[in-house]
Amino acid sequence: MTVLEAVAISGRAVAAPEVQLATGLPRPTCYRLLQSMAENRLLDEPEPGRYLVGERMMRLALLGTPDVDVCQAAAPSLRDAADHYGEAMFLSRYRNKGVEIIHVEVPGDAKRSFVHPGLGYRPMHACSCSKVIAAFTEDGFREEILAGPMRSYTPNTKQDPEILRAEFAAIRQAGFAECVEEIELGVSSVAAPIRIGNIGATFSIGATGPVRRFTDKRRAEIGKDLCALAAKVALALQIHGAAQAG
């Protein structure tokens, strides 16, 4: 922890001798710890002998962020989007090799009908919020999904591993995922990953509504907008995390 804190506080790629000086640890011990943490991706080594806080460490920090803090950081953006689109907006997070919807914002217009997605678990193979997280995670995890049981919820639920493998690739190219009546007939959704750096997607945001409004064209439009909104939420999460740490 002493070494990690010394690297994090620097705010830049820091040389091994600087870390040793800042920590006061014996030189062999400090160098051994730096190399071990770099091997395990807790630290990144952009150039030999210089270190930054690693992607794996950042991912661990995000996974440990309480739901209430994540929701507090994302809620204003989701609320604005719900009023703008006139549809329910939701926030999801990866947890225990699954994805859960943890927060929903709905349109403020009481006369507007909308589809509330509900909270809780979503299958990794059949919901936009789950598929977009799976698409941007490690190859091994995607293969675990494809090799496991995949329940059919509607006639539109995809269960063929090759079809889903191709869809994951298409999601990475487009930047967002769609679910068209795969969980419930008459309901569609679109979701984009919340990414911080290159650590994959721990969270996602999405919009859901009736298929009569969620046409191909509108899903594409919302999907592109969600990518920009996800970047805004990612920044809010980083700012919120920094404020909490301070």
Side-chain angles (χ1 to χ4, degrees), residues 57 73 94 102 136 165 169 181-182 188 191 199-200 210 220 231:
M57 191 68 213
Y94 172 82
I102 60 172
F136 285 93
R165 192 174 286 111
E181 299 187 282
E182 295 176 30
S188 182
I199 61 173

Side-chain angles (χ1 to χ4, degrees), residues 62-107:
L62 282 174
L63 289 173
T65 305
D67 284 355
V68 63
D69 291 339
V70 179
C71 295
Q72 183 178 350
S77 295
L78 293 180
R79 195 174 304 121
D80 290 343
D83 288 334
H84 175 72
Y85 296 118
E87 308 289 357
M89 305 292 299
F90 56 88
L91 170 69
S92 308
R93 78 177 298 167
Y94 172 82
R95 194 190 338 254
N96 298 326
K97 293 192 175 183
V99 171
E100 295 181 23
I101 294 180
I102 60 172
H103 187 74
V104 177
E105 291 287 344
V106 301

Side-chain angles (χ1 to χ4, degrees), residues 3-36:
V3 172
L4 283 171
E5 288 173 352
V7 175
I9 290 171
S10 69
R12 57 180 174 82
V14 61
E18 295 177 84
V19 178
Q20 192 270 327
L21 182 63
T23 61
L25 291 169
R27 181 186 174 99
T29 301
C30 185
Y31 277 57
R32 185 176 66 252
L33 287 172
L34 287 168
Q35 291 173 2
S36 178

Side-chain angles (χ1 to χ4, degrees), residues 49-70:
R50 302 189 74 88
Y51 300 89
L52 290 167
V53 174
E55 293 181 357
R56 188 176 186 184
M57 191 68 213
M58 293 170 63
R59 182 178 178 85
L60 287 171
L62 282 174
L63 289 173
T65 305
D67 284 355
V68 63
D69 291 339
V70 179

Side-chain angles (χ1 to χ4, degrees), residues 132 136 169-177 191-195 223-224 226-227 230:
V132 80
F136 285 93
I171 291 169
R172 290 193 296 275
Q173 184 174 6
F176 61 90
I194 298 174
R195 305 184 68 192
K224 291 177 181 178
L226 285 177
C227 292

Side-chain angles (χ1 to χ4, degrees), residues 162-219:
E162 290 304 318
I163 292 176
L164 282 165
R165 192 174 286 111
E167 183 175 12
F168 288 144
I171 291 169
R172 290 193 296 275
Q173 184 174 6
F176 61 90
E178 300 178 336
C179 172
V180 183
E181 299 187 282
E182 295 176 30
I183 296 293
E184 184 177 350
L185 292 176
V187 178
S188 182
S189 68
V190 186
I194 298 174
R195 305 184 68 192
I196 298 177
N198 295 313
I199 61 173
T202 304
F203 304 95
S204 66
I205 57 172
T208 186
V211 292
R212 61 183 174 82
R213 289 202 299 261
F214 272 49
T215 61
D216 290 349
K217 180 180 179 181
R218 190 157 192 257
R219 290 198 308 274

Side-chain angles (χ1 to χ4, degrees), residues 149-170:
M150 293 183 284
R151 174 184 167 186
S152 177
Y153 295 87
T154 76
N156 296 320
T157 305
K158 300 179 183 71
Q159 297 174 281
D160 186 312
E162 290 304 318
I163 292 176
L164 282 165
R165 192 174 286 111
E167 183 175 12
F168 288 144

